[in-house]
Amino acid sequence: MGISKYYSEFVYGGVDGLITTFAIIAGSLGGNLSTKIVVILGLASILSDGFSMGISSYLAEKSRINANNAIKVAIITFLSFVCIGIFPLLPFLFHMKEPFTLSSIILGALLFLLGFLKEFKLFEGIETLLIGGAAAAIAYFVAKSISKYENKLEKKDQEEEKDEKNIQ
């Protein structure tokens, strides 16, 4: 089972694993959630999303002419998603200093590497890095915006409760 034959599934699973995991990290931190929640959501997502990716790859490959490869494609996609996708979560799992910064560096390095290894071209590495970085930024800023909005609503509700108590 030569890896070059299944390299597209390896890249597909790996890139999606990295982006999905980091999106959970960035979104959780953008929403001011605790490190404990980052780890719980990250691990749950890696396994469930990895399984989903593997099953989706299996079903897609099974519908193609070469249905004999469906199980291999599913396994490679799943393992790639899980084994590569776990890396951005490691700084949180091991309680390292500045886990978000380390996670960002790991994400960037691995996205670049996966892209570069597709054709050993600098452009491919940069393209994959930029696409993955954009997904992570979206997750972070959406969560940050929602968190700010929710905080404003919560503050407004507290002020209204306070005003009602003062009236009584």
Side-chain angles (χ1 to χ4, degrees), residues 31-157:
N32 297 318
L33 302 178
S34 72
T35 300
K36 180 180 177 180
I37 292 174
V38 171
V39 170
I40 291 167
L41 291 176
L43 289 174
S45 174
I46 287 169
L47 293 174
S48 62
D49 289 345
F51 181 77
S52 175
M53 289 280 299
I55 291 300
S56 296
S57 291
Y58 169 79
L59 293 172
E61 188 69 19
K62 191 175 168 189
S63 69
R64 294 184 186 116
I65 297 170
N66 198 0
N68 295 335
N69 287 333
I71 293 289
K72 291 176 186 175
V73 166
I75 290 170
I76 288 169
T77 303
F78 171 76
L79 290 175
S80 177
F81 187 101
V82 172
C83 293
I84 295 172
I86 191 86
F87 278 93
L89 196 57
L90 293 178
F92 294 91
L93 284 169
F94 293 110
H95 305 283
M96 297 175 168
K97 291 182 181 179
E98 303 292 332
F100 187 69
T101 302
L102 287 172
S103 184
S104 299
I105 292 167
I106 290 167
L107 173 75
L110 290 176
L111 284 172
F112 176 81
L113 187 62
L114 282 171
F116 178 76
L117 291 176
K118 282 189 276 185
E119 297 180 24
F120 294 97
K121 292 183 179 176
L122 186 63
F123 173 79
E124 297 292 331
I126 293 170
E127 178 185 51
T128 305
L129 171 64
L130 291 176
I131 291 168
I138 289 167
Y140 180 81
F141 288 112
V142 166
K144 194 73 164 169
S145 297
I146 291 169
S147 180
K148 284 181 182 179
Y149 177 74
E150 287 294 320
N151 288 340
K152 284 181 184 178
L153 288 179
E154 188 176 309
K155 187 176 179 181
K156 182 180 176 188
D157 289 344

